[in-house]
């Protein structure tokens, strides 16, 4: 699978660890930055990831920032993106099962790396449930 990943300054450490982990699992990774812990603006990295998801350049994406909220808000302004913010494994599963999220967003300042890794693994292993959930997704204005 080809996975895009991005972060702001709060998520650099987790992003680098996830890239190594996912490469080790045989995935192809596309790094949309940042690669610095110097303060930066999350939209500068979220928009390129969203464009890659929309165009099919990547199969899915992972975004990391301090709370996850800025990334999620920015990503969800893109018509072809359904970004789900997760803070534990159960929520990570549900954003795939119920919302068919093609980008997982995680909060670097509120979850340990082990939790973030577990959320990524859970989200990637889930399938979209379809059915009533598809009906709901179809009602999202920007879908």
């Amino acid at each position: 699978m080809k996975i895009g990943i991005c972060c702001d300054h709060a998520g650099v450490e987790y992003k680098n660890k996830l890239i190594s982990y996912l490469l080790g699992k045989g995935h192809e990774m596309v790094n949309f930055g940042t690669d610095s812990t110097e303060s930066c603006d999350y939209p500068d990295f979220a928009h390129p990831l969203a464009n890659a998801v929309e165009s099919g350049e990547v199969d899915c994406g992972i975004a990391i920032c301090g709370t996850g909220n800025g990334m999620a808000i920015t990503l969800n302004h893109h018509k072809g993106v359904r970004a789900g913010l997760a803070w534990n494994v159960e929520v990570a599963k549900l954003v795939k099962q119920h919302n068919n999220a093609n980008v997982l967003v995680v909060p670097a300042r509120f979850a340990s790396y082990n939790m973030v890794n577990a959320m990524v693994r859970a989200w990637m292993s889930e399938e979209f449930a379809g059915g009533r959930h598809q009906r709901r997704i179809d009602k999202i204005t920007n879908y």
Side-chain angles (χ1 to χ4, degrees):
M1 182 178 299
K2 191 172 184 180
I3 305 167
I5 192 166
C6 74
C7 67
D8 71 358
H9 52 279
V12 172
E13 179 184 350
Y14 287 5
K15 181 192 64 135
N16 291 336
K17 287 180 177 182
L18 284 171
I19 288 172
S20 294
Y21 171 77
L22 293 167
L23 285 171
K25 294 293 182 184
H27 298 287
E28 184 178 347
M29 300 300 297
V30 179
N31 179 0
F32 291 96
T34 186
D35 295 312
S36 170
T37 57
E38 189 172 317
S39 182
C40 63
D41 300 332
Y42 54 81
D44 294 341
F45 308 99
H47 287 304
L49 172 60
N51 290 335
V53 171
E54 285 183 308
S55 72
E57 177 188 339
V58 297
D59 299 310
C60 62
I62 299 167
I64 311 160
C65 72
T67 65
N69 285 299
M71 286 286 188
I73 291 167
T74 303
L75 291 159
N76 281 316
H77 274 81
H78 288 257
K79 186 174 181 175
V81 173
R82 289 173 311 282
L85 173 58
W87 53 90
N88 64 38
V89 170
E90 187 62 25
V91 174
K93 290 179 181 180
L94 290 172
V95 299
K96 178 66 82 59
Q97 291 173 0
H98 292 186
N99 308 112
N100 202 18
N102 52 11
V103 179
L104 177 67
V105 184
V106 294
R109 292 191 175 129
F110 296 93
S112 69
Y113 173 73
N114 288 339
M115 176 58 73
V116 168
N117 184 285
M119 288 189 285
V120 168
R121 287 183 284 118
W123 172 73
M124 290 180 65
S125 67
E126 288 301 316
E127 296 290 327
F128 176 52
R132 70 184 192 274
H133 303 293
Q134 183 62 56
R135 182 180 72 240
R136 294 167 184 160
I137 287 173
D138 291 342
K139 291 181 179 182
I140 298 172
T141 302
N142 290 329
Y143 182 72

